[in-house]
Amino acid sequence: MPHKAYGSTHFFAESTMDMSSGFARGLGPFVGGFGMPGAFGSFPHLPGAPFGPGSQLHLALPARTVRERLVPDGHMAEIAQGCRVQIDLHEEVPPDKLRVVLSGSVTANSLAALALQWRIWFAEGGC
């Protein structure tokens, strides 16, 4: 679920850790059309703390697609949870782009960027 603060929208990875084993559980992988878990959902077999220290990845994504398709349909929240990143939606930048910041490990941010590209492609009518 998105959280609003100071004109930005934030999507957080929800904690689903089993503290006794140290492994994520209850996420259930989203299996894409090619049977690839994780890239578009979650990696339930990975430890909760992603690889390495935190970083940020700043993106300029199509504003209309993000606001009209990805946010209302829950894609941003799914990616944040599945990739264990925080996704912040910021101001619009010309021409018709939205500044989006991914916060997490380098690996998690890269995976989230791939998942965003994939979902934007399909939302815009990719075949």
Side-chain angles (χ1 to χ4, degrees):
M1 169 159 259
H3 302 277
K4 290 271 192 181
Y6 305 111
S8 297
T9 302
H10 311 282
F11 297 89
F12 299 99
E14 295 181 20
S15 176
T16 56
M17 291 297 296
D18 176 357
M19 298 312 282
S20 63
S21 68
F23 287 90
R25 65 180 185 139
L27 293 175
F30 174 89
V31 179
F34 300 102
M36 297 173 59
F40 313 107
S42 63
F43 283 102
H45 59 282
L46 294 178
F51 316 105
S55 66
Q56 288 188 334
L57 179 60
H58 294 251
L59 305 170
L61 301 178
R64 186 173 182 179
T65 303
V66 171
R67 293 197 190 278
E68 294 178 6
R69 299 292 302 274
L70 299 185
V71 172
D73 292 346
H75 295 287
M76 301 298 274
E78 287 176 4
I79 292 169
Q81 181 178 2
C83 299
R84 297 199 179 269
V85 297
Q86 177 178 325
I87 301 175
D88 298 312
L89 306 181
H90 292 278
E91 73 279 355
E92 289 195 28
V93 292
D96 303 320
K97 300 293 181 189
L98 179 68
R99 187 168 69 94
V100 176
V101 179
L102 305 177
S103 301
S105 71
V106 172
T107 304
N109 288 346
S110 298
L111 185 61
L114 174 65
L116 283 168
Q117 288 175 336
W118 184 260
R119 293 191 190 201
I120 288 168
W121 186 74
F122 276 109
E124 291 181 342
C127 301

